[in-house]
Amino acid sequence: MKSVRIKVKCLDKDLLPSYQSVGSSGLDLRSAVELTVYPGKISLVPTGLYLEIPLGYEAQIRPRSGLALKHGITVLNTPGTIDADYRGEIKVILINLSDNPFVVRKGDRIAQMVISEVIRAELELTDKVTETDRGEGGFGSTGID
Ligand SMILES: O=c1ccn([C@H]2C[C@H](O)[C@@H](COP(=O)(O)OP(=O)(O)OP(=O)(O)O)O2)c(=O)[nH]1
Ligand SMILES: [Mg+2]
């Protein structure tokens, strides 16, 4: 498996994220605070983490499926983008899509962070794009069966 070294400043060692199994794609992120995400509401959850991601990589913040399925808790902007040059605290934007308040305790694993390589586009202006069978069809144009 490929890996990349990332420097991390962590306000509290107990908040250091980790992979939960040998094949996990994401590092589980822990909440640095206790808070409640109320039904239908959005909360910005600090993680106590500051990263130095090498240029050419990014971090993506994704929901945990268990929280989504059991509690209706998801990441509003998924996948959240952590730019390589960002030096602020990593924060997670949670939304509660259930009818019940969701209590987050300090140290709870609230989301996961996947490190990814980034390919940047070199935009080349043109007056015409090539034709294809699909053409302008989209948004369900191929049907559902
Ligand atoms: O879930 C997220 C998303 C973003 N960020 C931080 C890191 C990221 O590098 C920065 C900017 O994020 P983004 O580009 O998604 O937001 P923007 O609205 O475009 O803000 P900006 O104008 O600062 O780029 O905010 C987080 O901590 N958590
Ligand atoms: Mg941005």
Side-chain angles (χ1 to χ4, degrees):
M1 204 182 289
K2 274 192 182 179
S3 67
V4 59
R5 252 187 131 70
I6 295 180
K7 284 190 181 166
V8 55
K9 183 175 108 183
C10 191
L11 296 183
D12 176 341
K13 294 290 162 289
D14 292 338
L15 298 177
L16 202 64
S18 58
Y19 294 102
Q20 296 295 305
S21 72
V22 286
S24 293
S25 304
L27 291 147
D28 279 354
L29 293 176
R30 296 178 182 278
S31 174
V33 297
E34 179 165 329
L35 56 80
T36 301
V37 192
Y38 290 98
K41 300 293 184 194
I42 297 165
S43 295
L44 187 60
V45 186
T47 64
L49 291 181
Y50 299 76
L51 301 181
E52 207 174 300
I53 301 173
L55 281 182
Y57 296 85
E58 62 162 337
Q60 298 175 3
I61 310 294
R62 304 186 189 172
R64 294 188 65 204
S65 62
L67 294 182
L69 182 65
K70 293 179 199 149
H71 302 286
I73 293 292
T74 190
V75 175
L76 179 60
N77 58 326
T78 185
T81 304
I82 309 300
D83 301 290
D85 55 354
Y86 178 68
R87 293 293 179 269
E89 183 176 11
I90 307 297
K91 295 184 180 172
V92 178
I93 306 172
L94 290 183
I95 184 165
N96 183 349
L97 302 178
S98 81
D99 295 328
N100 305 308
F102 181 75
V103 176
V104 175
R105 309 258 176 231
K106 186 177 174 191
D108 282 357
R109 290 180 285 132
I110 47 154
Q112 56 189 316
M113 180 171 75
V114 174
I115 304 301
S116 229
E117 279 185 281
V118 172
I119 296 176
R120 293 189 80 170
E122 291 173 30
L123 296 181
E124 188 186 321
L125 274 178
T126 179
D127 292 332
K128 199 168 185 291
V129 289
T130 58
E131 286 175 14
T132 65
D133 287 344
R134 172 183 284 276
E136 297 191 11
F139 313 100
S141 67
T142 62
I144 54 169
D145 54 339

